[in-house]
Amino acid sequence: MKVPKLFIPGPTHVTDEILSAMSKKQIGHRTPEISRIIEEIIEGIKNLLYTENKILLMSNPASALWEMGTNNSVNKGVLHAVNGAFSKKWLKISKQYNYHSESIDYDWGKAIKVEDIDKLLSTGKFDVFAMVHNETSTGVMSNLEEISNLLLNKYPDIIWLVDSVSSMAGTKIEIDKLGIDYIFSSTQKAWGLPAGFSVCAFSDKIYQKSKKIPGRGYYLNLESYDKSIRKNQTLTTPSIPHLYGLKYVLKKIKEEGLENRWDRHISMAQTTREWALNHGQKLFPEKGYESNTLTCIENLKIWDINNINEKFLERGFRMDRGYGILRTKAFRISHMGNIYMDDLIEYLEIFDEIIKN
Ligand SMILES: *Cc1c(COP(=O)(O)O)cnc(C)c1O
């Protein structure tokens, strides 16, 4: 059976070129060869993220980076913005760690609002604010600039943690300008690589704070990475195929050009939104906060999503039917990473054929 082409928001479509770039001979993880590859990758990532912060390359899913963030920053308490499934899970983890944690709870489809963050941070109960930039479950992308203005001007001591798993490498995030202390992603979303590997950028502010927090363990302790970062190595034996993959993808990104890449994602998002509205459907996110990397469409027309899914599979495509409680009620179209406008148009045309019949 032919493997269906993925139009789901992770794992995303990986091209044959990327797969073959990844399947090379293993090399030693304490060798000059690997350091050269890592150095090149780090340089590419810093450029992509507009940052001079330290970069971590970790052979684990992004979920581990939720706890690493809080592990290295929370003394007093952590404020979580919860507006979908992923931010909800992060809050749950903080509760499992017994941190003092509170949440600002939004209905699904809503974005995080600055006023709410301000109100809660002004209580003085928190030293950390944690949020998801692009809520993959709802297709909502919150506004980092607005939040940055608040935090930089009014709460300069707060440590700002951002999950950008489904937006990093697909939308412009100027880390240093925004003042984000800790931000991470895994490779199976907008990076367009297989799953199981994460990228993180952290500031000196979180690092210095982290050093004063006792009991941070080993693998999720920022301090453990000090030596390997300086040597352009990884803490543990890395997934070497992912390093080759990152090197390849960063080269492709450089060829495409950063602004072109951001524009490509915006154009695909606009095309998808227009397509949905032209079909009498509704966008699930509140207006002005629609994601650039995926579009979540409220199924007003009550299309038979399960049937459409079967038809798509027959045609060689894997669609998304909606996350968890939204299944069939708000389905998603992913347009990130290795999906280009031509791929998207082809997908939407097939969608049209399926719903006509
Ligand atoms: C996919 C996703 C995650 C989880 O990533 P893993 O690599 O599977 O751990 C976390 N947050 C968001 C916003 C995601 O989209």
Side-chain angles (χ1 to χ4, degrees):
M1 196 196 111
K2 195 172 165 264
V3 178
K5 181 167 173 178
L6 301 180
F7 269 84
I8 56 176
T12 61
H13 174 58
V14 181
T15 63
D16 291 342
E17 291 75 43
I18 293 174
L19 290 174
S20 62
M22 292 179 78
S23 54
K24 288 212 181 87
K25 284 218 158 52
Q26 293 285 295
I27 53 174
H29 70 302
R30 299 287 178 245
T31 59
E33 299 93 278
I34 205 147
S35 292
R36 275 195 296 274
I37 295 173
I38 290 176
E39 192 180 359
E40 189 181 327
I41 292 170
I42 301 285
E43 194 193 306
I45 293 175
K46 285 182 171 175
N47 192 45
L48 178 91
L49 300 176
Y50 309 86
T51 189
E52 289 303 322
N53 283 348
K54 295 256 169 35
I55 306 294
L56 294 178
L57 302 174
M58 297 171 76
S59 302
N60 49 253
S63 298
L65 280 286
W66 280 329
E67 28 200 300
M68 188 183 210
T70 46
N71 206 5
N72 287 276
S73 61
V74 183
N75 262 329
K76 247 196 272 178
V78 50
L79 176 65
H80 284 268
V82 175
N83 64 335
F86 292 99
S87 39
K88 187 173 165 196
K89 195 150 178 206
W90 199 357
L91 168 71
K92 190 174 160 199
I93 294 169
S94 286
K95 292 202 182 297
Q96 284 169 339
Y97 270 97
N98 289 323
Y99 295 132
H100 173 72
S101 51
E102 291 182 35
S103 56
I104 315 171
D105 297 302
Y106 296 95
D107 288 341
W108 282 36
K110 298 286 181 225
I112 302 162
K113 302 293 158 21
V114 175
E115 309 82 75
D116 303 323
I117 305 170
D118 191 12
K119 201 165 117 196
L120 273 130
L121 289 185
S122 70
T123 62
K125 289 193 285 188
F126 310 98
D127 53 356
V128 178
F129 172 60
M131 62 171 277
V132 173
H133 177 215
N134 197 56
E135 243 307 345
T136 320
S137 57
T138 62
V140 169
M141 189 167 76
S142 289
N143 187 316
L144 293 176
E145 282 79 21
E146 289 171 9
I147 297 168
S148 163
N149 279 337
L150 172 77
L151 297 179
L152 290 179
N153 294 320
K154 215 167 156 188
Y155 302 100
D157 294 334
I158 292 283
I159 298 284
W160 185 14
L161 312 177
V162 179
D163 165 333
S164 68
V165 175
S166 61
S167 53
M168 184 186 284
T171 204
K172 189 178 201 171
I173 305 173
E174 293 179 273
I175 294 184
D176 289 358
K177 203 160 115 191
L178 293 164
I180 299 169
D181 292 298
Y182 177 92
I183 185 164
F184 60 94
S185 169
S186 42
T187 47
Q188 76 276 19
K189 308 272 166 94
W191 290 95
L193 287 165
F197 200 88
S198 297
V199 171
C200 171
F202 66 95
S203 70
D204 193 53
K205 186 170 125 197
I206 185 171
Y207 183 66
Q208 294 309 331
K209 182 162 183 203
S210 153
K211 288 207 279 194
K212 295 186 204 112
I213 299 173
R216 286 163 299 146
Y218 173 67
Y219 189 70
L220 299 179
N221 179 349
L222 288 177
E223 215 175 343
S224 306
Y225 291 79
D226 220 26
K227 195 166 126 206
S228 50
I229 288 174
R230 274 189 277 109
K231 292 171 123 178
N232 281 317
Q233 291 184 356
T234 48
L235 180 65
T236 56
T237 322
S239 164
I240 291 162
H242 277 95
L243 293 179
Y244 285 127
L246 271 173
K247 183 179 143 142
Y248 182 82
V249 163
L250 285 160
K251 196 178 105 216
K252 297 299 276 183
I253 291 175
K254 201 168 171 184
E255 282 165 18
E256 182 176 17
L258 288 186
E259 291 302 328
N260 293 337
R261 187 175 179 87
W262 314 140
D263 288 347
R264 166 164 68 92
H265 284 82
I266 291 168
S267 308
M268 292 193 296
Q270 280 165 347
T271 300
T272 312
R273 290 173 208 152
E274 278 163 26
W275 175 87
L277 295 173
N278 286 340
H279 285 74
Q281 298 280 35
K282 192 171 172 283
L283 303 178
F284 188 73
E286 74 173 293
K287 211 170 165 39
Y289 296 96
E290 300 89 350
S291 164
N292 289 342
T293 53
L294 70 136
T295 298
C296 187
I297 299 166
E298 190 174 335
N299 189 13
L300 272 194
K301 305 294 279 186
I302 324 183
W303 289 344
D304 185 345
I305 298 297
N306 289 325
N307 182 49
I308 295 171
N309 180 49
E310 291 305 317
K311 293 278 157 43
F312 258 127
L313 284 172
E314 286 166 18
R315 305 281 298 256
F317 294 88
R318 168 70 64 191
M319 79 172 293
D320 169 81
R321 294 179 291 152
Y323 189 97
I325 55 168
L326 294 179
R327 177 142 298 181
T328 74
K329 295 184 185 74
F331 61 98
R332 299 169 299 173
I333 297 178
S334 171
H335 34 71
M336 61 176 114
N338 303 309
I339 296 299
Y340 288 76
M341 189 59 98
D342 288 349
D343 303 288
L344 177 66
I345 301 282
E346 184 192 16
Y347 183 77
L348 295 178
E349 280 173 3
I350 293 172
F351 214 129
D352 281 340
E353 284 170 28
I354 291 172
I355 51 182
K356 228 181 282 161
N357 296 319

